[in-house]
Amino acid sequence: MRDIEKFISGFCRFQQQYFNDRPALYGSLRGGQRPATLLIGCCDSRVDPLLLTGGDPGDLFVVRNIANLVPPCTPDASAGVSSAIEFAVCELEVERVIVLGHARCGGIRALMAPREVRRETDFVGQWMRIARPVAERVQRELAHRDSDARHHACELASILLSLDNLLTYPWLKRRVDQGLLKLHGWYFDLESGALLAYSARRQQFLPLVCPLPAR
């Protein structure tokens, strides 16, 4: 029950901050949303997009799923994720898409070290098949590295896979080709507190925000 009380108190703070202290913000949002950014992130409770970015309500259109994956555009693509991307790109006309991955991702761990599922369903395993090609490549190319290194490499590679899969949606690729939409791959290192971004020119993830100095 303490968690419920914490959430209710949190809503009271939210209410005060946005409905009392900044009434103009929600006054404008009542007429509709116009976010400039679609963020595709992980469901992990440690990686909250608005908290990490300091965004206000209305700043981000957020899609969250296990391991921040984007399925390729196929007739049997996940309707939940694909429809949210379609709405953000075609209806809201966002200006950028950020795929936000993170360290210690449980979905990637399940992919790299699968366990026998002792329940009626395995929705996680089915979903993670999207990233199986990059996991197999990492296991093959980094067989000489330890499991933590392979796990980290797969987390980064899955972000790039999602960026590639975004371009399989024809209406999204058109906007990218027209210069109306930018794609970004970000990685939150929750161990160091750093934020990395993929550089297509350097073909690697580089620090966007460095870790804080050690105390």
CSV table of all heavy atoms in Angstrom, one decimal, residues 39-42 47-49 52-53 67-68 98-102 159 184-188 195:
chain,number,residue,atom,x,y,z
A,39,LEU,N,9.7,8.8,-29.2
A,39,LEU,CA,10.8,8.1,-28.6
A,39,LEU,C,10.3,6.7,-28.4
A,39,LEU,O,9.3,6.4,-27.8
A,39,LEU,CB,11.1,8.7,-27.2
A,39,LEU,CG,12.3,8.1,-26.5
A,39,LEU,CD1,13.1,9.2,-25.8
A,39,LEU,CD2,12.0,7.0,-25.6
A,40,ILE,N,11.1,5.7,-28.9
A,40,ILE,CA,10.9,4.3,-28.7
A,40,ILE,C,11.8,3.8,-27.7
A,40,ILE,O,13.1,3.7,-27.9
A,40,ILE,CB,11.1,3.6,-30.1
A,40,ILE,CG1,10.1,4.2,-31.1
A,40,ILE,CG2,10.8,2.1,-29.9
A,40,ILE,CD1,10.4,3.7,-32.5
A,41,GLY,N,11.3,3.4,-26.5
A,41,GLY,CA,12.1,3.0,-25.4
A,41,GLY,C,11.7,1.7,-24.9
A,41,GLY,O,10.8,1.0,-25.4
A,42,CYS,N,12.4,1.2,-23.9
A,42,CYS,CA,12.2,0.0,-23.2
A,42,CYS,C,11.2,0.1,-22.1
A,42,CYS,O,11.1,1.2,-21.5
A,42,CYS,CB,13.5,-0.6,-22.7
A,42,CYS,SG,13.4,-2.3,-22.0
A,47,VAL,N,14.2,3.1,-16.7
A,47,VAL,CA,14.5,3.9,-17.8
A,47,VAL,C,13.2,4.7,-18.3
A,47,VAL,O,12.6,4.3,-19.3
A,47,VAL,CB,15.1,3.1,-19.0
A,47,VAL,CG1,15.6,3.9,-20.1
A,47,VAL,CG2,16.2,2.1,-18.5
A,48,ASP,N,12.9,5.7,-17.5
A,48,ASP,CA,11.7,6.5,-17.8
A,48,ASP,C,12.1,7.6,-18.8
A,48,ASP,O,12.9,8.5,-18.4
A,48,ASP,CB,11.1,7.0,-16.6
A,48,ASP,CG,9.8,7.8,-16.8
A,48,ASP,OD1,9.9,9.0,-17.2
A,48,ASP,OD2,8.7,7.2,-16.7
A,49,PRO,N,11.5,7.7,-20.0
A,49,PRO,CA,11.9,8.7,-21.0
A,49,PRO,C,11.8,10.1,-20.5
A,49,PRO,O,12.6,11.0,-20.7
A,49,PRO,CB,11.1,8.4,-22.2
A,49,PRO,CG,10.7,6.9,-22.1
A,49,PRO,CD,10.6,6.7,-20.6
A,52,LEU,N,14.3,10.9,-17.8
A,52,LEU,CA,15.7,11.0,-18.3
A,52,LEU,C,15.9,12.3,-19.1
A,52,LEU,O,17.0,12.9,-19.1
A,52,LEU,CB,16.0,9.8,-19.2
A,52,LEU,CG,16.1,8.5,-18.5
A,52,LEU,CD1,16.4,7.4,-19.5
A,52,LEU,CD2,17.3,8.5,-17.4
A,53,THR,N,14.9,12.7,-19.8
A,53,THR,CA,15.0,13.9,-20.7
A,53,THR,C,14.6,15.2,-20.1
A,53,THR,O,14.8,16.2,-20.7
A,53,THR,CB,14.3,13.7,-22.0
A,53,THR,OG1,12.9,13.5,-21.7
A,53,THR,CG2,14.8,12.4,-22.8
A,67,ALA,N,12.8,-4.3,-24.6
A,67,ALA,CA,14.1,-4.1,-25.4
A,67,ALA,C,14.0,-3.0,-26.5
A,67,ALA,O,14.8,-3.0,-27.4
A,67,ALA,CB,14.6,-5.4,-25.9
A,68,ASN,N,13.1,-2.1,-26.4
A,68,ASN,CA,13.0,-1.0,-27.4
A,68,ASN,C,13.2,-1.4,-28.8
A,68,ASN,O,13.9,-0.8,-29.6
A,68,ASN,CB,14.0,0.1,-27.0
A,68,ASN,CG,15.4,-0.4,-26.6
A,68,ASN,OD1,15.6,-0.6,-25.4
A,68,ASN,ND2,16.3,-0.6,-27.6
A,98,ILE,N,13.7,8.9,-31.8
A,98,ILE,CA,14.8,8.4,-31.0
A,98,ILE,C,14.6,7.0,-30.5
A,98,ILE,O,13.5,6.7,-29.9
A,98,ILE,CB,15.0,9.3,-29.7
A,98,ILE,CG1,15.3,10.8,-30.2
A,98,ILE,CG2,16.1,8.8,-28.9
A,98,ILE,CD1,15.3,11.8,-29.0
A,99,VAL,N,15.5,6.1,-30.8
A,99,VAL,CA,15.4,4.7,-30.3
A,99,VAL,C,16.4,4.7,-29.1
A,99,VAL,O,17.6,4.9,-29.2
A,99,VAL,CB,15.8,3.7,-31.3
A,99,VAL,CG1,15.8,2.3,-30.6
A,99,VAL,CG2,14.9,3.7,-32.5
A,100,LEU,N,15.8,4.6,-27.9
A,100,LEU,CA,16.6,4.7,-26.6
A,100,LEU,C,16.8,3.3,-26.0
A,100,LEU,O,15.8,2.7,-25.5
A,100,LEU,CB,15.8,5.6,-25.7
A,100,LEU,CG,16.4,5.7,-24.3
A,100,LEU,CD1,17.8,6.3,-24.3
A,100,LEU,CD2,15.5,6.5,-23.3
A,101,GLY,N,18.0,2.8,-26.1
A,101,GLY,CA,18.3,1.5,-25.4
A,101,GLY,C,19.0,1.8,-24.1
A,101,GLY,O,19.2,3.0,-23.8
A,102,HIS,N,19.3,0.7,-23.4
A,102,HIS,CA,20.0,1.0,-22.1
A,102,HIS,C,20.8,-0.3,-21.7
A,102,HIS,O,20.6,-1.4,-22.2
A,102,HIS,CB,18.9,1.3,-21.0
A,102,HIS,CG,18.0,0.1,-20.7
A,102,HIS,ND1,18.2,-0.7,-19.7
A,102,HIS,CD2,16.9,-0.3,-21.4
A,102,HIS,CE1,17.2,-1.6,-19.6
A,102,HIS,NE2,16.4,-1.4,-20.7
A,159,ILE,N,19.7,-1.5,-31.1
A,159,ILE,CA,19.3,-0.2,-31.4
A,159,ILE,C,19.5,0.1,-32.9
A,159,ILE,O,18.6,0.6,-33.6
A,159,ILE,CB,20.1,0.8,-30.6
A,159,ILE,CG1,19.9,0.7,-29.1
A,159,ILE,CG2,19.8,2.3,-31.0
A,159,ILE,CD1,20.8,1.5,-28.2
A,184,HIS,N,17.6,8.9,-34.6
A,184,HIS,CA,18.6,8.9,-33.6
A,184,HIS,C,18.7,7.6,-32.8
A,184,HIS,O,17.6,7.1,-32.5
A,184,HIS,CB,18.5,10.1,-32.7
A,184,HIS,CG,18.4,11.4,-33.3
A,184,HIS,ND1,19.5,12.2,-33.6
A,184,HIS,CD2,17.3,12.1,-33.8
A,184,HIS,CE1,19.1,13.3,-34.2
A,184,HIS,NE2,17.7,13.3,-34.3
A,185,GLY,N,19.8,7.1,-32.6
A,185,GLY,CA,20.0,5.9,-31.7
A,185,GLY,C,20.7,6.4,-30.4
A,185,GLY,O,21.9,6.8,-30.5
A,186,TRP,N,20.1,6.2,-29.3
A,186,TRP,CA,20.7,6.6,-28.0
A,186,TRP,C,20.8,5.4,-27.1
A,186,TRP,O,20.0,4.4,-27.2
A,186,TRP,CB,19.8,7.7,-27.3
A,186,TRP,CG,19.9,9.0,-27.9
A,186,TRP,CD1,20.5,9.4,-29.0
A,186,TRP,CD2,19.2,10.2,-27.4
A,186,TRP,NE1,20.3,10.8,-29.2
A,186,TRP,CE2,19.5,11.3,-28.2
A,186,TRP,CE3,18.5,10.5,-26.2
A,186,TRP,CZ2,19.1,12.6,-28.0
A,186,TRP,CZ3,18.0,11.7,-26.0
A,186,TRP,CH2,18.3,12.8,-26.9
A,187,TYR,N,21.8,5.5,-26.2
A,187,TYR,CA,22.0,4.4,-25.2
A,187,TYR,C,22.3,5.0,-23.9
A,187,TYR,O,23.2,5.8,-23.7
A,187,TYR,CB,23.2,3.5,-25.7
A,187,TYR,CG,23.5,2.4,-24.8
A,187,TYR,CD1,22.8,1.2,-24.8
A,187,TYR,CD2,24.6,2.5,-23.9
A,187,TYR,CE1,23.2,0.1,-24.0
A,187,TYR,CE2,25.0,1.4,-23.1
A,187,TYR,CZ,24.2,0.2,-23.1
A,187,TYR,OH,24.6,-0.8,-22.3
A,188,PHE,N,21.5,4.6,-22.9
A,188,PHE,CA,21.6,5.1,-21.5
A,188,PHE,C,22.4,4.1,-20.7
A,188,PHE,O,22.0,2.9,-20.6
A,188,PHE,CB,20.3,5.3,-20.9
A,188,PHE,CG,20.3,5.6,-19.4
A,188,PHE,CD1,21.2,6.5,-18.8
A,188,PHE,CD2,19.4,4.9,-18.5
A,188,PHE,CE1,21.3,6.7,-17.5
A,188,PHE,CE2,19.5,5.2,-17.2
A,188,PHE,CZ,20.4,6.0,-16.6
A,195,LEU,N,25.1,9.1,-21.4
A,195,LEU,CA,24.2,9.0,-22.5
A,195,LEU,C,25.0,8.9,-23.8
A,195,LEU,O,25.8,9.9,-24.1
A,195,LEU,CB,23.2,10.1,-22.6
A,195,LEU,CG,22.2,10.1,-23.7
A,195,LEU,CD1,21.3,8.9,-23.6
A,195,LEU,CD2,21.4,11.4,-23.8
